[in-house]
Amino acid sequence: MNILALEPLDLAALVASRVCHDVISPVGAIVNGLEVLEEDKDEGMREFALDLIRKSAKAASARLQFCRLAFGAAGSAGAAIDTGDAEKVARGLFADDRTQLNWESPRVFMPKNKVKLVLNLCLIAAACIPRGGVMNVSIEGEGDDARMSVTVKGPNLKLASHVADLLEGRSESGMVDAHGIQPFFTGLVARSCGMAVQVAASSEDVTLRAAPEAPAAGA
């Protein structure tokens, strides 16, 4: 297993590609809806187009707000972020007709990288339930003792085989693409705030846990 080492520009490009991939679908749907409004005079089709535009604009906004906290530089260096804001953007992205989001956390201010970490764990977990299901998010403790977990259950439950390795900064091929950059980025965020991520998968659920990294022997 090879340790991954990305140049800063390559990391930025791959993360930007991932964000664009997430946003392009609803934006494309908005464009399609506008084209229908311009070209079709049928009242039923125009109403359909307006509904498509409304729903797609809401989805695009939710994805952008989530990405701003999960990937962006929200706040100044060293800033703390309200976990209530994290819950709000998570509900905007995940809580829909297919997915039930249970967020169990007191509303506190946490270092921004720890907030980014829990949101990125949610993204990894959501990918395990492509047809929806239940997502349980838990944050316990504060400061250096903060711990978090995300558990998902649902039909067609599956954890991609490369996720655990990428979280540790490793890859069998020694490379990572835009599809794998998000778990790799999550591992970087975890290590930046002194936390380690563990993955547990069964036929019934998938759980990702982040806790303070144990000190090295002899440290």
Side-chain angles (χ1 to χ4, degrees), residues 37-208:
L37 287 180
E38 290 177 354
E39 300 172 2
D40 202 314
K41 303 305 179 183
D42 180 76
E43 194 61 33
M45 286 300 297
R46 291 178 66 83
E47 184 58 38
F48 171 80
L50 285 171
D51 187 55
L52 176 64
I53 291 169
R54 282 192 292 266
K55 290 179 178 177
S56 299
K58 183 178 179 180
S61 176
R63 294 186 188 193
L64 285 170
Q65 290 182 57
F66 184 94
C67 288
R68 177 176 175 270
L69 281 187
F71 298 111
S76 58
I81 295 176
D82 188 341
T83 55
D85 292 338
E87 178 183 1
K88 181 179 178 180
V89 298
R91 290 197 180 282
L93 187 60
F94 300 121
D96 54 28
D97 294 338
R98 300 189 311 163
T99 304
Q100 174 186 333
L101 174 62
N102 301 316
W103 186 282
E104 300 174 4
S105 168
R107 189 163 184 171
V108 296
F109 281 91
M110 290 179 62
K112 68 176 182 180
N113 276 358
K114 291 189 176 182
V115 172
K116 293 163 85 74
L117 177 56
V118 71
L119 292 178
N120 275 276
L121 292 178
C122 288
L123 275 180
I124 295 173
C128 298
I129 47 172
R131 295 179 60 184
V134 178
M135 178 184 297
N136 297 312
V137 180
S138 174
I139 303 175
E140 300 177 350
E142 297 182 38
D144 293 339
D145 295 324
R147 299 168 183 268
M148 56 196 71
S149 69
V150 182
T151 299
V152 286
K153 301 178 181 181
N156 292 88
L157 177 75
K158 185 177 181 181
L159 175 70
S161 58
H162 61 269
V163 167
D165 290 332
L166 288 172
L167 282 168
E168 295 180 359
R170 302 176 184 274
S171 167
E172 187 172 347
S173 66
M175 301 174 65
V176 63
D177 57 17
H179 295 290
I181 193 61
Q182 192 269 322
F184 176 74
F185 176 78
T186 304
L188 291 177
V189 174
R191 289 187 288 280
S192 76
C193 50
M195 302 189 79
V197 179
Q198 293 184 331
V199 181
S202 71
S203 60
E204 296 184 353
D205 58 37
V206 172
T207 299
L208 298 109

